[in-house]
Amino acid sequence: GSGIYRDVWLLKTEKVAVDTDGVYLCPVRLDDESWRVDVETTVVSIAKDTEQIELVTDIIDREGNVVASCGGSVTVTSHNKATSKYFTTVNNPTLWDIDATYLYTVKTRVICNGEVCDEYITRTGFRYFSCDADRGFFLNGRRVVIKGVCGHEDCGLLGKAVPANVHRYKMQ
């Protein structure tokens, strides 16, 4: 169809590494103070032998403090993928909001034979929301009016390879 119309990257990794987009985090609000963070990490191996992998995930605030840590283990066979599920608890996190987009850095380390063989960084935030047919959308307990557009990525004869200035023109 359209060909490549976005940036493309080549990622070189060790023989055992976190898969592309292989760390999934799901923060769940337990009460006003504590959140459970479920972590799912998928590792991929092109190693010759089956590997026993240890995983360590740290949740780090903006100041560089580790606010929670957890880990798991998984066995991955040669030229295959394996997923480990584990969780931690975070107390009193700073909530993400549209006016204060506070995100935590999540560092996941893959440990093979006692050595760190890969490190994967992702970001996450803590927020809760609800929708009410009569009262609208609520983010972190406060009502928020949602505004937006239906902006498709194609522009007539330009197809999908649209320069940024055309997108800006459409929004104006």
Side-chain angles (χ1 to χ4, degrees):
S2 302
I4 297 174
Y5 62 95
R6 293 187 185 186
D7 293 336
V8 176
W9 296 270
L10 176 64
L11 181 63
K12 182 179 178 183
T13 67
E14 295 294 327
K15 292 182 188 252
V16 177
V18 173
D19 197 14
T20 303
D21 298 326
V23 176
Y24 171 74
L25 301 140
C26 184
V28 177
R29 182 175 178 231
L30 301 175
D31 55 42
D32 287 342
E33 296 178 2
S34 60
W35 292 66
R36 176 185 165 121
V37 181
D38 292 314
V39 182
E40 199 173 292
T41 302
T42 302
V43 293
V44 61
S45 173
I46 59 168
K48 187 172 77 171
D49 299 318
T50 297
E51 299 277 343
Q52 179 65 33
I53 307 301
E54 297 298 320
L55 300 161
V56 177
T57 298
D58 295 326
I59 300 174
I60 305 164
D61 67 14
R62 283 188 181 169
E63 289 74 38
N65 302 309
V66 175
V67 297
S69 187
C70 57
S73 61
V74 67
T75 301
V76 61
T77 57
S78 178
H79 294 86
N80 213 339
K81 295 180 184 183
T83 301
S84 180
K85 297 178 182 181
Y86 44 99
F87 71 94
T88 188
T89 303
V90 176
N91 293 315
N92 297 313
T94 301
L95 298 182
W96 181 95
D97 198 290
I98 56 175
D99 299 324
T101 56
Y102 194 99
L103 292 176
Y104 289 81
T105 299
V106 179
K107 182 189 294 186
T108 300
R109 293 182 306 280
V110 179
I111 302 168
C112 310
N113 301 318
E115 300 280 329
V116 174
C117 60
D118 191 31
E119 186 174 276
Y120 192 88
I121 304 290
T122 189
R123 307 289 301 272
T124 195
F126 295 83
R127 52 74 184 130
Y128 62 96
F129 61 90
S130 64
C131 294
D132 181 281
D134 297 321
R135 298 174 45 223
F137 177 76
F138 289 80
L139 177 64
N140 300 329
R142 80 177 166 90
R143 187 169 183 271
V144 175
V145 177
I146 298 175
K147 301 175 186 177
V149 298
C150 181
H152 296 273
E153 291 209 5
D154 61 345
C155 289
L157 296 175
L158 293 174
K160 290 198 177 261
V162 181
N165 64 329
V166 174
H167 286 301
R168 280 192 292 278
Y169 174 76
K170 282 176 62 177
M171 290 300 107
Q172 290 172 347

